[in-house]
Each structure stands twice: as structure tokens, then as C-alpha cells.
Amino acid sequence: MAKHEHVRVAVIGSGFGGLGAAVRLRREGITDFVVLERADSVGGTWRDNSYPGCACDVPSHLYSFSFAPNPDWPRTFSGQRHIRAYLEHVTDTFGIRPHLRLNHEVLRMEWDADALRWEIETSSGSFSAEVVVSATGPLSDPRIPDVPGLDGFPGKVFHSARWDHDYDLTGKRVAMIGTGASAIQIVPAIQPRVRSLTLFQRTPPWVMPRMDRNITGAERRLHRALPFTATLRRGLLWGIRELQVGAFTKHPGELGLVEKLAKANIARAVKDPALRAKLTPSYRIGCKRILLSNTYYPAVAQPNVDVVASGLHEVRGSTLVGADGSETEVDAIVFGTGFHVTDMPIAERVFGADGHSLADAWKDGMESLRGATAAGFPNWMTIIGPNTGLGNSSMILMIESQLNYLADYLRQLNVLGGRAALAVRPSAVHAWNRKVQTRMERTVWKSGGCDSWYLDANGRNTTLWPGTTGEFRRETRQVDLSEYEVLRAPRTASTTTSRPPRTKETAQ
């Protein structure tokens, strides 16, 4: 018989969000929790993405927890290996390992309205929890488009987030599908060793120089000896990005100068006017995420690289057919086609108070209160939820703000006492999202003339936050109980025997 475990809090996922939640729980004096992780180690997207050239496009000292500074970052923009090592270090330093349940993929979560708890089925046992913190993240489930004929391709096929390190690309004819953040790192890393590289590009990205360098030993010693210097460095990086937000969210016209610099960056590296035209976007810079690389343009200008200015339309045996009718024969296909961001698969496994799934609740678009709680799903909170993404800064800042909200949420439950749950009012969710979407109309992400992965099937941007990180921190500093309904179970109810109907208490 599978083991059953009851905890106060169940955290789903062990990336930055999940580990951050675990640390915050311990700092709040809560030790009755588990971290359910489907893989065999922590790290989230920095475990899954191990493709050649994988690195972060946010400076290292800003892409780390404020409560766990790392004075020993080796580069200003660190690679995947060092970020993953940092997360392992956080896990050990803050005593998270006893709470980990590795190889526990969540298959179904169902709210028990009588017992006021979540019943959780995983691949390695069952759990029940008073509160669930979903930290699976939007970049966890790869998206491969449904391309006709792909099943009949005789060569190797994999997604950038599931890189096959046993397959040697040396001397192979390789197709790279997509030109997002992963692709512009992969292309320069594999171009020198492949026989040919065909890049299928539906829309060219804007790429700016990457101001990356080794962090000197003297700098690292200074940060170790005088920790406030690392704090100052982080604060400067944060402040610069806060000042940039207005151009993205209120005055997209101010991005014109940045666009000119980006065009000059293309011109410096790409001398062929036809190729340069293919690589120059027609939309306002910032509409899609601005990518950083010093090596992407030089790589695509090499003679063994061919840029197809269209998406992949069809696969005929080993021949790839572009939407423009071009044909290319390859040995391997690498998909850099992103993730299920606005249709996260975890939503199909979460069943709320009315028995419907979160995917059903979000079928017309993701909505939550302050990026955290969803109507119909009591005592359930998501980290990096709807409209918490950023276009120019560090997601760790947003995660820490949501951890503040989580901490106060749990404090409110403590104050209420007994067996209680908080159910966010639909009116509060709708009011919050109306405000967010109204502000979104002015942003470059809506007015910049592009079709990005920030937008859902209805054209709504349910991904990004249309403000500063400082503003989001203020909005999530504490829970406003007027936005919630308090649910209580009868005092005589038992969580293990028959369950009489629940009662409701309106928060004042």
C-alpha cells in the first residue's frame, strides 16, 4: 500500500520558487512541510536546461536570493552549471533536504471541502496538506509544435530543455527550430562543430550585446570580506532596471534609441545585406524579450549556417519543408520552441472546491489575485503566477515578493485558529485583473506589433507584470482579508471519518 503523509504545507517544485518557499517556511518557524519534486534533484529549469551555452541573461548578483547572497559568482552573467550549484547550496545551507520528496510527480490535487485540506496523489505516494504552494514555474514543460510528418523523421529529435547529451552533433546536419533565448545561446555553441546548421526563424529577435566578463578574484574577496559591497552591487543593478520600466510600460516610444543601437549591433556583425534584412525585426524592440549575446550574429553569418525566414511547415522523411517552401535535409532537429506558459499542464491536475480543474477555470485566460491565489481554489497559492513575469529584470525579486504574501497568508490562518481556509473572492480576482489588463494596454508588449509567448490564445498578456518590482512588492506585502472568504469546518468534524457539510464565515 502506498504511503500517505499529512503535512501543513505541500510545496510543488524545487526550482527558485519552490526552494524559496521552503526557506521562507523554515524562517517563519514552519517545519511541517514537504517539497514534492518530479525529478531526482533540485534545480527546476536550471536542472532541466543543460544545453550547450546555457546561461542567464540577468546579472548574477541580481539573479540570486537577497537572503542568500553569493560573493563567489564567477561571471557577471553566470552559466547554468553555476546557477544550479547555487540552488544546491541553498538547499543544504537552509536545511531543506529532509523536506524533499524527490521522484514524486504530482498527478492530481483535489480540494476536500469538508476536511478543508488538499488531497494529493503523486507517482510515489499520497499526501494531504492544509495549504498547497504551487511553484512549478512557467518554464517547466517544453512545447513542441504539432508539425505534420515529424513522427516519421528518421533522425534525432529533442527539445532544448531535454538536451540529449549522448547524441554527438559533430559533423551532423542540424536544424534549429526557433530563435528565442535558448536558440541564440545554442547556435553559437554548436555552430563550429556541426556540418551545417539550418535556423528556422518565424520572427527575428532583437539582440543586444551581452556585457559579460569574469568577476575578478579581488572583487570576490571584497564581497566576502565586506558583504555590504555585494548588497550595494545588487542594489545598483536593481535600480537601473527599475528606471527602465517606464519605457516598457508607459512610453514605448522611448525605446527608439535602444532600437537604433540594436540595429547597429546587427550591422557590425553581419555584412551580407540579405542576411541582415532577415535578422532585422519589424516590431518595436521590447515587444518580445530583448536577448543578449555577443556571439549569435557572428555565428549565423558563418558559411555553414542558413537562416530560413519562416517556420517549419512539414517534415518529409529527413527533409524539412519551411513555410516559405524551402527544403532542407538534416540529421537532427532541435526544438527551441519554448514552453507551456499560458496553458501550464499543472492546471489540468488541480481540482478545486466545485470539482472543476484549474485548467477549466482558466480556459478563457489565467487570472489570479496578486499573482498568487485563484478563485475556487482555497488555501492554494502559486509562485510566479499570472502576470508576475518581467521583461527586463530578475524574477527572483518577484518570487521574494510572493514569499512575503505567502508568509502573511499563513500568519492570517494562524490568527483565525482552528481548521480554517481562505478562499479568494471572485470579485477581488476580477478587480485585480481588470486593473492589470487596463495598464497592459499602454505597454510595448501590447502595442509593439509582435505576437509573443507572453500572449494567450485570446491575445491577452497574462504573463507579465506592467509595473516595477518595487510596486509589486508593496502590493504583496500583506494579505487583505476583505479579499477573501473564511471557510471553517465544524468543530466536531473529523478529517478521517464522516464529513458533515462545511460552514462559511465572512471575513470582516
Side-chain angles (χ1 to χ4, degrees):
M1 181 177 294
K3 179 182 177 182
H4 180 87
E5 187 175 353
H6 178 76
V7 292
R8 183 180 181 193
V9 183
V11 179
I12 316 300
S14 67
F16 267 99
L19 293 178
V23 172
R24 189 56 183 266
L25 289 172
R26 288 187 61 89
R27 296 178 79 183
E28 292 291 320
I30 299 171
T31 57
D32 184 16
F33 71 89
V34 292
V35 179
L36 303 176
E37 169 55 55
R38 65 184 177 184
D40 60 1
S41 61
V42 303
T45 191
W46 295 105
R47 175 200 59 234
D48 296 341
N49 286 270
S50 60
Y51 58 78
C54 184
C56 189
D57 60 359
V58 175
S60 303
H61 282 274
L62 194 58
Y63 199 78
S64 48
F65 291 120
S66 63
F67 54 78
N70 178 18
D72 292 313
W73 287 117
R75 299 191 65 83
T76 52
F77 291 86
S78 290
Q80 176 264 346
R81 177 169 62 90
H82 295 106
I83 296 173
R84 185 178 180 186
Y86 170 78
L87 290 172
E88 294 279 0
H89 174 73
V90 168
T91 303
D92 291 327
T93 299
F94 291 91
I96 306 303
R97 295 217 181 265
H99 302 277
L100 290 175
R101 301 295 183 268
L102 302 176
N103 298 305
H104 280 66
E105 180 177 5
V106 171
L107 305 176
R108 183 182 178 93
M109 286 185 281
E110 184 174 351
W111 176 249
D112 186 327
D114 297 325
L116 296 186
R117 68 183 186 186
W118 286 93
E119 298 293 341
I120 307 167
E121 180 187 352
T122 79
S123 57
S124 300
S126 63
F127 297 79
S128 56
E130 297 167 24
V131 177
V132 166
V133 180
S134 180
T136 58
L139 306 183
S140 57
D141 289 283
R143 186 180 66 84
I144 293 181
D146 185 14
V147 181
L150 182 60
D151 290 345
F153 180 69
K156 191 70 177 179
V157 179
F158 52 87
H159 190 278
S160 59
R162 301 291 185 268
W163 195 271
D164 189 340
H165 291 278
D166 294 328
Y167 183 77
D168 187 3
L169 293 176
T170 303
K172 300 294 195 305
R173 299 166 299 177
V174 180
M176 181 79 223
I177 316 299
T179 52
S182 299
I184 70 154
Q185 295 178 344
I186 293 169
V187 167
I190 68 173
Q191 174 272 321
R193 58 191 177 95
V194 301
R195 174 180 168 187
S196 65
L197 178 58
T198 304
L199 180 62
F200 284 82
Q201 170 195 269
R202 287 195 307 172
T203 309
W206 285 108
V207 183
M208 294 289 287
R210 181 184 181 89
M211 309 303 289
D212 191 22
R213 64 172 179 83
N214 287 321
I215 296 178
T216 66
E219 289 174 277
R220 295 197 294 272
R221 288 192 295 273
L222 177 65
H223 294 331
R224 285 196 297 271
L226 301 172
F228 77 88
T229 60
T231 302
L232 288 174
R233 184 174 190 158
R234 177 187 177 91
L236 179 62
L237 293 168
W238 168 79
I240 291 172
R241 281 154 181 79
E242 291 289 274
L243 292 173
Q244 297 170 348
V245 171
F248 288 87
T249 61
K250 297 178 181 178
H251 310 289
E254 295 178 357
L255 293 166
L257 176 59
V258 182
E259 200 167 292
K260 290 180 180 178
L261 294 174
K263 288 181 178 179
N265 188 42
I266 300 174
R268 278 194 299 270
V270 181
K271 303 306 179 184
D272 178 6
L275 178 58
R276 195 159 59 236
K278 286 183 180 180
L279 297 173
T280 303
S282 59
Y283 56 87
R284 171 64 78 188
I285 194 170
C287 185
K288 293 188 173 188
R289 189 176 181 98
I290 300 172
L291 307 182
L292 304 178
S293 177
N294 299 325
T295 55
Y296 175 68
Y297 288 138
V300 297
Q302 296 304 308
N304 68 331
V305 178
D306 180 34
V307 178
V308 177
S310 74
L312 176 59
H313 176 67
E314 184 184 359
V315 178
R316 300 173 186 163
S318 59
T319 300
L320 275 56
V321 182
D324 62 353
S326 61
E327 297 185 2
T328 307
E329 192 167 348
V330 299
D331 304 306
I333 304 174
V334 179
F335 282 95
T337 45
F339 301 84
H340 290 277
V341 174
T342 60
D343 58 341
M344 294 187 290
I346 188 66
E348 299 174 355
R349 306 181 184 193
V350 183
F351 293 82
D354 61 0
H356 293 142
S357 71
L358 183 61
D360 286 337
W362 282 353
K363 64 180 183 298
D364 295 324
M366 298 190 300
E367 283 191 343
S368 66
L369 175 64
R370 304 177 193 277
T373 52
F377 298 82
N379 278 12
W380 181 90
M381 184 176 296
T382 181
I383 305 295
I384 316 183
N387 290 113
T388 60
L390 297 175
N392 75 314
S393 192
S394 172
M395 280 305 302
I396 312 307
L397 301 169
M398 302 296 278
I399 289 172
E400 290 197 27
S401 292
Q402 292 196 290
L403 297 182
N404 291 338
Y405 196 76
L406 167 64
D408 195 57
Y409 190 101
L410 294 170
R411 292 187 203 114
Q412 296 294 342
L413 288 175
N414 283 341
V415 170
L416 289 169
R419 284 172 43 220
L422 291 176
V424 64
R425 299 179 183 278
S427 58
V429 175
H430 296 329
W432 173 262
N433 281 277
R434 279 195 302 270
K435 182 172 68 172
V436 169
Q437 292 303 320
T438 297
R439 294 179 60 180
M440 193 67 71
E441 292 301 318
R442 299 177 60 185
T443 68
V444 69
W445 310 308
K446 285 287 288 185
S447 63
C450 73
D451 181 15
S452 73
W453 58 266
Y454 299 149
L455 308 180
D456 65 17
N458 299 312
R460 284 201 316 157
N461 188 330
T462 57
T463 305
L464 298 183
W465 167 244
T468 65
T469 62
E471 181 184 2
F472 188 78
R473 179 170 288 255
R474 291 190 294 273
E475 294 281 8
T476 53
R477 194 179 305 277
Q478 60 186 26
V479 171
D480 180 356
L481 274 184
S482 70
E483 296 178 326
Y484 288 85
E485 177 186 16
V486 178
L487 307 181
R488 287 195 180 276
R491 294 182 183 278
T492 57
S494 169
T495 61
T496 57
T497 59
S498 61
R499 298 167 181 154
R502 63 177 179 170
T503 61
K504 296 183 179 180
E505 173 186 327
T506 301
Q508 300 297 322

